[in-house]
Amino acid sequence: MIYWPNDDEMNSKTFLSIQFFLLLFVQVNAQMESSISYTSRDKFILKSTGEVITHRQLQSLKKENELTLVLPIINADGLAEYFQVDSSNHSTSIKMRDKEMQPVIGEVFPPFNMKSEKGTVRLSDFSENGVVVIFQELFDSRLTEVTKFDELLNLVMSESPLGIVIVSRNTIQEIRPHLQQFDSDRLIVVPDAYNFFLRYQIFTMPTTAIIGPDSKLILFEQDREFDRIKAAFASMKD
């Protein structure tokens, strides 16, 4: 016999679905707002001309077009070096990241000075052997991404002796319990690091960057293609 929900059940499910998507929308927008906060002391540059404008001029542009996009350009320290202002933006969606601005394979990986629980970690620290940088946005047992992260980390640790830097927007207190099952001596954890997701234009979690001893990017894997990751490690041994 085929079960068909009644009107009350349908209405209840619809209401819960609407609640879920509204909550998700609020969370996403709150995250975006928190990542692009700025003050009158910050530097603002027009994307179209490269002209430096004042905070007052920025406010005038936003009055003329409330969809004016103001994006932080993040430096190696994870700080906003300046804010890029796109007054020609007429999209209702906030485009925080641009895949065309992601690191390029074969080129030097944009350097970083990240604050980890073991002190500041720099790309230059790995000039002898290279490093694997894994971007994992959230550690939450309810998310399927955590399971995918576990699979990835097990692969990286078994296939390569390279140092491993895990970059997350979570606090260290939220991350540490999850990593107890792994060899902590090999792991360097960078918490509260959302700005580095913006610096490297990270869209998918986990994203794996394999960087050689010459600081050049060997692999930038966003699809968890384990065969490609294994092949990249093998190429480093040759």
Side-chain angles (χ1 to χ4, degrees), residues 12 93 117 156:
S12 175
S93 63
E117 62 174 341
V156 170

Side-chain angles (χ1 to χ4, degrees), residues 123-135:
L123 179 58
S124 57
D125 295 338
F126 305 97
S127 58
E128 184 174 346
N129 298 311
V131 64
V132 181
V133 181
I134 301 176
F135 295 89

Side-chain angles (χ1 to χ4, degrees), residues 211-224:
I211 305 164
D214 57 1
S215 295
K216 291 184 178 180
L217 184 62
I218 295 173
L219 184 73
F220 197 71
E221 179 55 57
Q222 302 173 88
D223 298 321
R224 292 176 295 278

Side-chain angles (χ1 to χ4, degrees), residues 36-76:
I36 59 174
S37 59
Y38 50 82
T39 71
S40 58
R41 296 187 299 273
D42 288 307
K43 184 178 181 180
F44 306 97
I45 297 180
L46 283 178
K47 180 180 180 180
S48 57
T49 64
E51 174 190 357
V52 177
I53 63 173
T54 66
H55 184 261
R56 181 172 294 181
Q57 289 173 310
L58 171 61
Q59 296 309 308
S60 295
L61 287 174
K62 291 176 70 67
K63 284 182 180 179
E64 294 173 7
N65 174 20
E66 62 181 12
L67 298 178
T68 293
L69 200 58
V70 183
L71 293 181
I73 304 302
I74 307 301
N75 63 20

